[in-house]
């Protein structure tokens, strides 16, 4: 079980029977608004309330890697494009939908919806 706190910590709980183990996986230090696993569960996509996007690879147990900073508008939500886990799609509060290459954070495509987006 992965979850985040308002302080920006990513936690992992391993539950086995009546026993559990808790560990801090990453310290983003910004409130995390979205946690999304890739379809094969190898990458966890984190989006903060400030609109910054990070990736975290649970099998590597390393730090979360900053993928994207908000530019003109904050990222409101993101998800993986399937099949695979090489690309994600995001939407900003200003209504811009973007497709990203996760390996290096390259923006591959943009579409402006011309509407303000809310959760």
């Amino acid at each position: 079980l992965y979850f985040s706190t308002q302080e920006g910590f990513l936690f992992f709980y391993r539950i086995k029977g009546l026993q559990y183990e808790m560990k801090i996986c990453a310290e983003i230090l910004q409130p995390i608004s979205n946690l999304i696993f890739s379809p094969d569960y190898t990458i966890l996509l984190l989006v903060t309330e400030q609109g910054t996007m990070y990736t975290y690879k649970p099998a590597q147990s390393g730090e979360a890697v900053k993928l994207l900073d908000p530019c003109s508008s904050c990222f409101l939500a993101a998800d993986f494009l399937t099949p695979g886990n090489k690309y994600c799609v995001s939407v900003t509060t200003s209504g811009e939908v973007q497709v990203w290459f996760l390996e290096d954070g390259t923006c591959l495509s943009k579409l402006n919806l011309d509407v303000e987006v809310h959760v």
Side-chain angles (χ1 to χ4, degrees):
L1 172 65
Y2 285 89
F3 73 94
S4 63
T5 65
Q6 283 290 42
E7 293 80 20
F9 292 97
L10 176 65
F11 283 94
F12 171 70
Y13 268 93
R14 173 174 284 140
I15 303 167
K16 193 173 187 179
L18 298 176
Q19 304 285 343
Y20 71 91
E21 171 190 345
M22 180 188 79
K23 95 176 190 184
I24 297 175
C25 297
E27 297 179 30
I28 304 298
L29 303 181
Q30 296 178 23
I32 299 168
S33 57
N34 289 312
L35 297 173
I36 306 102
F37 261 108
S38 62
D40 63 0
Y41 297 99
T42 58
I43 301 173
L44 186 59
L45 192 63
L46 313 167
V47 181
T48 69
E49 288 182 1
Q50 287 78 20
T52 308
M53 217 180 297
Y54 294 83
T55 57
Y56 176 76
K57 296 182 179 178
Q60 295 177 359
S61 299
E63 290 292 312
V65 176
K66 186 186 291 186
L67 181 65
L68 304 166
D69 272 323
C71 300
S72 60
S73 178
C74 285
F75 294 111
L76 188 58
D79 202 350
F80 288 88
L81 287 176
T82 56
N85 57 1
K86 292 183 179 184
Y87 308 98
C88 76
V89 63
S90 66
V91 65
T92 64
T93 54
S94 65
E96 188 171 77
V97 177
Q98 300 162 318
V99 176
W100 302 94
F101 184 53
L102 287 175
E103 194 169 299
D104 62 7
T106 302
C107 181
L108 302 173
S109 180
K110 294 180 185 182
L111 172 66
N112 196 329
L113 301 176
D114 292 323
V115 299
E116 194 170 307
V117 178
H118 302 278
V119 177

